[in-house]
Amino acid sequence: MEVGGELTVQTANVTLGSPRRAEEPPAGDYVMVCVGDTGSGMTEDVLAKVFEPFFTTKEVGKGSGLGLSQVFGLAKQSGGGVRIDTEIDKGSTVRIYLPRAGGVADTPAKEQRKFDRPQVSRATILVVDDDAAVREITTGLLRDLGYDVIEAGSGGAALDALDNNAEVDLVLLDFAMPGMNGGEVARELKARRPDLPILFATGYADAGGLVDATEDQIIQKPFEEDELASKLLATLSHGPARIESEPFTLSP
Ligand SMILES: Nc1ncnc2c1ncn2[C@@H]1O[C@H](COP(=O)(O)OP(=O)(O)OP(=O)(O)O)[C@@H](O)[C@H]1O
Ligand SMILES: [Mg+2]
């Protein structure tokens, strides 16, 4: 378009029938990338040679003659092809066809969500639950969310873990455990690290009445990944849970 004009770039999913020219792809489903101009157009003679390497009508030093041959090579190597429609003084349209990928996209929805979800920072979470199966599921969810996880099967193990790992950023603490319950463990944790955020996991609907913590510092079991993710973020940003001085009592 030496004197100016309009360039149009368009993409579409297309289904093609049998090819009319050798450079067009076989019949099938393709993604089309289309570039159209309102330039000089091409004669039949030129059109017959445009895909030949080094064919150019430009002055010496102005064109390599490799543009369209590279376009054609790339399309063919990908299992697709090219088609050109052209008319003198009207313009040219080059359509590149690339095979359409079947099935679902590479990126599972879950992976996608990981990126959509704002995560404050990389954090290490200490999971305290006496039930090994629950602990395993929870740990899997947390790792999916991008957190590092330390596991403890009891309050005592949790306190040991904290004593040995200054790295803990949050404790996900089960409420109903044999031996020390979640409330007792929380007080011990708080004695060691007053600033440590704690998210209480409980199957008891009335746990909210037992803990002086905001609603988003308690998560009801069984929980789902999305709820866990948002509660963790809320707890991490709220900072330490406030623990009552009175001993906790559990009334199922
Ligand atoms: N959009 C177009 N309109 C009119 N003629 C074209 C168009 N595209 C290509 N041609 C013709 O085809 C020839 C070969 O094109 P190709 O892109 O392969 O090389 P080139 O454009 O000459 O060189 P380069 O790509 O290095 O600039 C061009 O010299 C020109 O004559
Ligand atoms: Mg070119």
Side-chain angles (χ1 to χ4, degrees):
M1 295 189 291
E2 283 173 30
V3 293
E6 202 170 294
L7 189 75
T8 308
V9 180
Q10 187 197 346
T11 60
N13 282 319
V14 294
T15 300
L16 298 182
S18 304
R20 283 165 298 176
R21 297 177 73 115
E23 61 272 12
E24 290 180 23
D29 291 336
Y30 296 91
V31 171
M32 177 185 72
V33 180
C34 174
V35 180
D37 64 56
T38 57
S40 62
M42 291 174 247
T43 63
E44 272 299 322
D45 285 356
V46 169
L47 185 60
K49 294 177 187 154
V50 286
F51 296 116
E52 282 176 24
F54 307 114
F55 172 79
T56 181
T57 59
K58 292 176 183 169
E59 290 170 42
V60 176
K62 287 249 169 107
S64 70
L66 291 174
L68 285 173
S69 73
Q70 284 180 331
V71 167
F72 174 66
L74 182 139
K76 272 288 172 194
Q77 275 169 28
S78 306
V82 183
R83 173 182 163 165
I84 297 181
D85 293 290
T86 184
E87 203 177 322
I88 291 291
D89 293 334
K90 287 271 170 62
S92 308
T93 301
V94 180
R95 291 182 174 85
I96 302 166
Y97 298 103
L98 301 167
R100 209 187 302 170
V104 292
D106 277 357
T107 316
K110 202 170 161 192
E111 293 288 314
Q112 200 70 54
R113 285 213 309 276
K114 227 191 282 180
F115 295 109
D116 293 341
R117 190 178 286 138
Q119 192 178 304
V120 183
S121 62
R122 189 152 190 98
T124 301
I125 296 177
L126 172 60
V127 176
V128 190
D129 198 307
D130 60 298
D131 187 329
V134 172
R135 225 165 49 232
E136 193 181 314
I137 291 166
T138 307
T139 299
L141 289 175
L142 291 171
R143 295 214 164 108
D144 274 355
L145 290 168
Y147 292 104
D148 291 323
V149 182
I150 299 169
E151 290 182 54
S154 69
L159 298 175
D160 287 348
L162 198 70
D163 288 340
N164 297 323
N165 290 281
E167 294 290 81
V168 175
D169 298 300
L170 181 148
V171 182
L172 181 55
L173 183 56
D174 186 27
F175 228 93
M177 290 188 291
M180 261 192 287
N181 71 33
E184 290 161 338
V185 177
R187 266 193 307 282
E188 290 294 324
L189 291 171
K190 196 175 155 53
R192 286 164 168 78
R193 284 262 311 266
D195 61 338
L196 186 64
I198 298 172
L199 177 60
F200 295 94
T202 177
Y204 296 106
D206 60 352
L210 300 170
V211 184
D212 183 20
T214 60
E215 205 179 70
D216 53 24
Q217 286 169 315
I218 298 168
I219 189 164
Q220 296 287 319
K221 294 201 285 187
F223 43 75
E224 302 213 326
E225 197 186 78
D226 280 340
E227 198 195 351
L228 182 61
S230 61
K231 295 248 167 164
L232 287 171
L233 285 179
T235 310
L236 280 166
S237 59
H238 278 195
R242 285 164 297 146
I243 311 298
E244 285 177 344
S245 49
E246 288 301 300
F248 290 92
T249 48
L250 287 173
S251 46

